[in-house]
Amino acid sequence: MWKIDTLGNGADGVHIGDINRDGLVDVVSGWEQSGDLMLYFNPGPELVRDEIAWSQVDISGGLPIKGIEDAAFADFDLDGFDDAIISSIEGDTRSLGIHWFEGDDMLDPDDWRGVYMMPEELAGYMKARVAQIDGVAGADIVAGSRSMDGVPAGVYWQWRRVWGIYDESAHNNFQRNDMESELPDTVSW
């Protein structure tokens, strides 16, 4: 077994995808106890076994995510390419997060943005994935939670719209939509 990173504490929800579209498998992990959300870029076949070769960046986008249970690649615009990370957070935050690249350097943590999907603490989210569920209006989010503080466990899909429209004029940019009250009770991208 070869190491990619050993600096955080509690690597939960380790997943693979290709966020930089170089044809190589990248890795994302939420570190539950240390509250990190790290993205690791595959250095290529010649260096893949060298821990030092794996470039890494904190992609939390400034969100506190201690208690993160899972982080997975997501394709919000349904074009077949990963364009964001969705995080499932129990801990004190109890939310889902979306983290995306917006800048010039994927290795610069300041070029990563993050938003919470849920405006208030609702449940201890354990896993979430993005997919087209109902055939209407783009990607939907499916998430599972565990029982916490009297809130029962559940599986949920397609929340009311809280954040975002995909900005097709710039690759991997999301924009906040301030017209939430005028939109249908869905998450659309």
Side-chain angles (χ1 to χ4, degrees):
M1 187 175 296
W2 290 272
K3 293 184 284 185
I4 294 174
D5 186 9
T6 58
L7 298 177
N9 186 10
D12 281 353
V14 177
H15 294 281
I16 59 173
D18 183 13
I19 194 93
N20 59 357
R21 298 184 186 184
D22 64 358
L24 301 172
V25 174
D26 304 315
V27 177
V28 66
S29 180
W31 292 80
E32 184 174 7
Q33 282 72 35
S34 56
D36 302 307
L37 178 56
M38 301 300 294
L39 178 60
Y40 306 95
F41 296 99
N42 188 324
E46 296 81 27
L47 298 173
V48 75
R49 289 175 177 81
D50 183 354
E51 175 183 6
I52 296 170
W54 286 79
S55 301
Q56 58 183 276
V57 61
D58 175 350
I59 62 167
S60 63
L63 297 181
I65 55 171
K66 194 154 189 172
I68 185 170
E69 273 294 323
D70 193 51
F73 292 92
D75 176 14
F76 277 95
D77 63 358
L78 300 175
D79 67 352
F81 297 101
D82 298 321
D83 49 38
I85 305 295
I86 187 164
S87 60
S88 305
I89 310 161
E90 56 169 353
D92 293 334
T93 306
R94 296 186 200 171
S95 190
L96 297 174
I98 297 178
H99 313 270
W100 70 96
F101 173 69
E102 184 176 276
D104 298 319
D105 183 1
M106 282 192 141
L107 291 172
D108 184 349
D110 292 333
D111 283 352
W112 287 87
R113 306 292 178 259
V115 295
Y116 290 131
M117 285 295 299
M118 306 310 294
E120 58 191 42
E121 296 175 6
L122 294 177
Y125 294 100
M126 304 299 285
K127 296 228 181 267
R129 297 296 180 270
V130 174
Q132 177 47 260
I133 302 298
D134 61 356
V136 178
D140 302 308
I141 296 174
V142 177
S145 68
R146 72 177 185 96
S147 297
M148 284 184 78
D149 300 328
V151 177
V155 175
Y156 308 95
W157 76 275
Q158 196 164 350
W159 280 277
R160 67 182 179 272
R161 184 179 182 124
V162 178
W163 291 97
I165 56 171
Y166 188 76
D167 177 7
E168 295 181 12
S169 66
H171 173 66
N172 287 349
N173 288 336
F174 289 91
Q175 297 176 342
R176 181 160 190 246
N177 187 328
D178 291 318
M179 300 168 30
E180 290 113 3
S181 62
E182 298 176 20
L183 297 172
D185 196 27
T186 62
V187 173
S188 304
W189 299 94

